[in-house]
Amino acid sequence: MRREQRELGGGTVITHGHYGRPFLVFPSEQGRAWDFESNGMVEAVARLVEGGRLKLYCVDSFDAASWSNQSAPLEQRARAHGVYESWILDQVVPFINDDCGGPTDGDRSEIATIGCSLGAFHAVLFALRRADLFPLAIGMSGNYDPSSWQGWGERGDTAYFTNPVDFVPNLHGDHLDWLRSRLSVLLVVGQGQWEDSTGSLPSARALAGVLTAKGLRCELDVWGHDVPHDWPSWRRQLAHHLPRFC
């Protein structure tokens, strides 16, 4: 399987595959670009990668300086996330488009996002904020409400616009109509160990309800009580769902 590693502006991007639909992969909390591979996720979909149906672009996280920095108030964490967002949009997306020969739909990109745990939050947030670039998001075992992550301090505009549970209910007008025509979200979660203590199960259900209430395309797939918040579960879930998106 073709594998390449690239340093872009201080962050690492590892690609797997030679052709196919591009998927931007966010690691779990404070993870690195090689975590997806190290935890067997790439191998779980190797047939799709080797068959040229998709290409994975795995990136570093910036969580230690943003969402995982519990010494900082929530608004400051959200602002730090903006640095990460800029890196993704200004460096990673152009790299993916150049590597794939440019956007595949006129002037719009067709990059999908994938993430597990905190990476699921990133996958969904980027798609909601920039559906012009990311029309599909797949989140596995995510908690999509940063205000529930032991946050403290006054919440300002930056925290509001990086919290899907906050800003999605207030979407309206032409932008909402456009999102309804453009965006699809898949939320996958188990009912086993740690899916409740991490907030993933109630958060996935809550976000699915919010998205559906606004008429946005959202599929919620809840797995059984024998499916915990861990890599073996995510390998199974990825292998189950990914073939229909590439």
Side-chain angles (χ1 to χ4, degrees), residues 193-207:
Q193 190 175 23
W194 307 302
E195 292 285 54
D196 53 355
S197 60
T198 60
S200 297
L201 180 57
S203 186
R205 284 174 166 159
L207 181 60

PDB file of all heavy atoms in Angstrom, residues 193-207:
ATOM      1  N   GLN A 193     -18.869   0.203  27.142  1.00  0.00           N
ATOM      2  CA  GLN A 193     -18.044   0.900  28.137  1.00  0.00           C
ATOM      3  C   GLN A 193     -17.442   2.180  27.585  1.00  0.00           C
ATOM      4  O   GLN A 193     -16.959   2.229  26.459  1.00  0.00           O
ATOM      5  CB  GLN A 193     -16.929  -0.043  28.603  1.00  0.00           C
ATOM      6  CG  GLN A 193     -16.160   0.461  29.804  1.00  0.00           C
ATOM      7  CD  GLN A 193     -15.154  -0.566  30.299  1.00  0.00           C
ATOM      8  OE1 GLN A 193     -14.730  -1.441  29.550  1.00  0.00           O
ATOM      9  NE2 GLN A 193     -14.765  -0.463  31.562  1.00  0.00           N
ATOM     10  N   TRP A 194     -17.499   3.223  28.381  1.00  0.00           N
ATOM     11  CA  TRP A 194     -16.910   4.549  28.114  1.00  0.00           C
ATOM     12  C   TRP A 194     -17.715   5.401  27.130  1.00  0.00           C
ATOM     13  O   TRP A 194     -17.436   6.592  27.008  1.00  0.00           O
ATOM     14  CB  TRP A 194     -15.458   4.455  27.642  1.00  0.00           C
ATOM     15  CG  TRP A 194     -14.588   3.659  28.547  1.00  0.00           C
ATOM     16  CD1 TRP A 194     -14.346   3.867  29.878  1.00  0.00           C
ATOM     17  CD2 TRP A 194     -13.845   2.489  28.191  1.00  0.00           C
ATOM     18  NE1 TRP A 194     -13.506   2.909  30.382  1.00  0.00           N
ATOM     19  CE2 TRP A 194     -13.175   2.042  29.360  1.00  0.00           C
ATOM     20  CE3 TRP A 194     -13.676   1.782  27.003  1.00  0.00           C
ATOM     21  CZ2 TRP A 194     -12.355   0.920  29.363  1.00  0.00           C
ATOM     22  CZ3 TRP A 194     -12.867   0.668  27.005  1.00  0.00           C
ATOM     23  CH2 TRP A 194     -12.213   0.243  28.165  1.00  0.00           C
ATOM     24  N   GLU A 195     -18.674   4.822  26.443  1.00  0.00           N
ATOM     25  CA  GLU A 195     -19.461   5.653  25.539  1.00  0.00           C
ATOM     26  C   GLU A 195     -20.386   6.597  26.311  1.00  0.00           C
ATOM     27  O   GLU A 195     -20.753   7.660  25.815  1.00  0.00           O
ATOM     28  CB  GLU A 195     -20.284   4.788  24.576  1.00  0.00           C
ATOM     29  CG  GLU A 195     -19.454   4.022  23.557  1.00  0.00           C
ATOM     30  CD  GLU A 195     -18.908   4.890  22.439  1.00  0.00           C
ATOM     31  OE1 GLU A 195     -18.253   5.907  22.744  1.00  0.00           O
ATOM     32  OE2 GLU A 195     -19.122   4.550  21.266  1.00  0.00           O
ATOM     33  N   ASP A 196     -20.745   6.208  27.545  1.00  0.00           N
ATOM     34  CA  ASP A 196     -21.555   7.100  28.370  1.00  0.00           C
ATOM     35  C   ASP A 196     -20.686   8.034  29.202  1.00  0.00           C
ATOM     36  O   ASP A 196     -20.942   9.235  29.291  1.00  0.00           O
ATOM     37  CB  ASP A 196     -22.493   6.300  29.277  1.00  0.00           C
ATOM     38  CG  ASP A 196     -21.765   5.244  30.094  1.00  0.00           C
ATOM     39  OD1 ASP A 196     -20.542   5.055  29.890  1.00  0.00           O
ATOM     40  OD2 ASP A 196     -22.409   4.601  30.945  1.00  0.00           O
ATOM     41  N   SER A 197     -19.580   7.517  29.785  1.00  0.00           N
ATOM     42  CA  SER A 197     -18.735   8.349  30.640  1.00  0.00           C
ATOM     43  C   SER A 197     -18.011   9.438  29.857  1.00  0.00           C
ATOM     44  O   SER A 197     -17.698  10.504  30.399  1.00  0.00           O
ATOM     45  CB  SER A 197     -17.717   7.484  31.399  1.00  0.00           C
ATOM     46  OG  SER A 197     -16.878   6.778  30.500  1.00  0.00           O
ATOM     47  N   THR A 198     -17.734   9.211  28.576  1.00  0.00           N
ATOM     48  CA  THR A 198     -17.134  10.241  27.738  1.00  0.00           C
ATOM     49  C   THR A 198     -18.172  11.226  27.206  1.00  0.00           C
ATOM     50  O   THR A 198     -17.816  12.252  26.612  1.00  0.00           O
ATOM     51  CB  THR A 198     -16.411   9.612  26.526  1.00  0.00           C
ATOM     52  OG1 THR A 198     -17.368   8.869  25.751  1.00  0.00           O
ATOM     53  CG2 THR A 198     -15.279   8.697  26.965  1.00  0.00           C
ATOM     54  N   GLY A 199     -19.433  10.896  27.396  1.00  0.00           N
ATOM     55  CA  GLY A 199     -20.508  11.724  26.870  1.00  0.00           C
ATOM     56  C   GLY A 199     -20.828  11.470  25.418  1.00  0.00           C
ATOM     57  O   GLY A 199     -21.681  12.141  24.829  1.00  0.00           O
ATOM     58  N   SER A 200     -20.161  10.488  24.818  1.00  0.00           N
ATOM     59  CA  SER A 200     -20.322  10.259  23.385  1.00  0.00           C
ATOM     60  C   SER A 200     -21.733   9.822  23.013  1.00  0.00           C
ATOM     61  O   SER A 200     -22.308  10.309  22.028  1.00  0.00           O
ATOM     62  CB  SER A 200     -19.311   9.210  22.900  1.00  0.00           C
ATOM     63  OG  SER A 200     -17.996   9.657  23.081  1.00  0.00           O
ATOM     64  N   LEU A 201     -22.309   8.897  23.782  1.00  0.00           N
ATOM     65  CA  LEU A 201     -23.633   8.381  23.431  1.00  0.00           C
ATOM     66  C   LEU A 201     -24.710   9.463  23.541  1.00  0.00           C
ATOM     67  O   LEU A 201     -25.439   9.707  22.573  1.00  0.00           O
ATOM     68  CB  LEU A 201     -23.965   7.166  24.300  1.00  0.00           C
ATOM     69  CG  LEU A 201     -25.327   6.509  24.059  1.00  0.00           C
ATOM     70  CD1 LEU A 201     -25.487   6.078  22.617  1.00  0.00           C
ATOM     71  CD2 LEU A 201     -25.501   5.301  24.999  1.00  0.00           C
ATOM     72  N   PRO A 202     -24.818  10.147  24.684  1.00  0.00           N
ATOM     73  CA  PRO A 202     -25.851  11.195  24.734  1.00  0.00           C
ATOM     74  C   PRO A 202     -25.568  12.350  23.779  1.00  0.00           C
ATOM     75  O   PRO A 202     -26.501  12.955  23.228  1.00  0.00           O
ATOM     76  CB  PRO A 202     -25.827  11.654  26.200  1.00  0.00           C
ATOM     77  CG  PRO A 202     -24.494  11.244  26.723  1.00  0.00           C
ATOM     78  CD  PRO A 202     -24.153   9.991  25.988  1.00  0.00           C
ATOM     79  N   SER A 203     -24.292  12.659  23.545  1.00  0.00           N
ATOM     80  CA  SER A 203     -23.961  13.777  22.665  1.00  0.00           C
ATOM     81  C   SER A 203     -24.303  13.464  21.221  1.00  0.00           C
ATOM     82  O   SER A 203     -24.817  14.327  20.494  1.00  0.00           O
ATOM     83  CB  SER A 203     -22.476  14.138  22.792  1.00  0.00           C
ATOM     84  OG  SER A 203     -22.174  15.290  22.047  1.00  0.00           O
ATOM     85  N   ALA A 204     -24.014  12.236  20.780  1.00  0.00           N
ATOM     86  CA  ALA A 204     -24.352  11.854  19.409  1.00  0.00           C
ATOM     87  C   ALA A 204     -25.860  11.908  19.193  1.00  0.00           C
ATOM     88  O   ALA A 204     -26.342  12.399  18.154  1.00  0.00           O
ATOM     89  CB  ALA A 204     -23.820  10.457  19.105  1.00  0.00           C
ATOM     90  N   ARG A 205     -26.609  11.436  20.164  1.00  0.00           N
ATOM     91  CA  ARG A 205     -28.061  11.481  20.049  1.00  0.00           C
ATOM     92  C   ARG A 205     -28.568  12.924  20.031  1.00  0.00           C
ATOM     93  O   ARG A 205     -29.460  13.274  19.249  1.00  0.00           O
ATOM     94  CB  ARG A 205     -28.685  10.710  21.206  1.00  0.00           C
ATOM     95  CG  ARG A 205     -28.589   9.185  21.046  1.00  0.00           C
ATOM     96  CD  ARG A 205     -29.076   8.456  22.265  1.00  0.00           C
ATOM     97  NE  ARG A 205     -29.298   7.027  22.002  1.00  0.00           N
ATOM     98  CZ  ARG A 205     -29.332   6.093  22.935  1.00  0.00           C
ATOM     99  NH1 ARG A 205     -29.150   6.422  24.213  1.00  0.00           N
ATOM    100  NH2 ARG A 205     -29.538   4.829  22.615  1.00  0.00           N
ATOM    101  N   ALA A 206     -27.976  13.751  20.891  1.00  0.00           N
ATOM    102  CA  ALA A 206     -28.415  15.146  20.955  1.00  0.00           C
ATOM    103  C   ALA A 206     -28.112  15.885  19.658  1.00  0.00           C
ATOM    104  O   ALA A 206     -28.964  16.615  19.129  1.00  0.00           O
ATOM    105  CB  ALA A 206     -27.742  15.845  22.131  1.00  0.00           C
ATOM    106  N   LEU A 207     -26.896  15.707  19.129  1.00  0.00           N
ATOM    107  CA  LEU A 207     -26.540  16.398  17.893  1.00  0.00           C
ATOM    108  C   LEU A 207     -27.378  15.900  16.726  1.00  0.00           C
ATOM    109  O   LEU A 207     -27.812  16.692  15.871  1.00  0.00           O
ATOM    110  CB  LEU A 207     -25.053  16.231  17.583  1.00  0.00           C
ATOM    111  CG  LEU A 207     -24.582  16.951  16.320  1.00  0.00           C
ATOM    112  CD1 LEU A 207     -24.816  18.458  16.419  1.00  0.00           C
ATOM    113  CD2 LEU A 207     -23.117  16.659  16.036  1.00  0.00           C
TER     114      LEU A 207
END
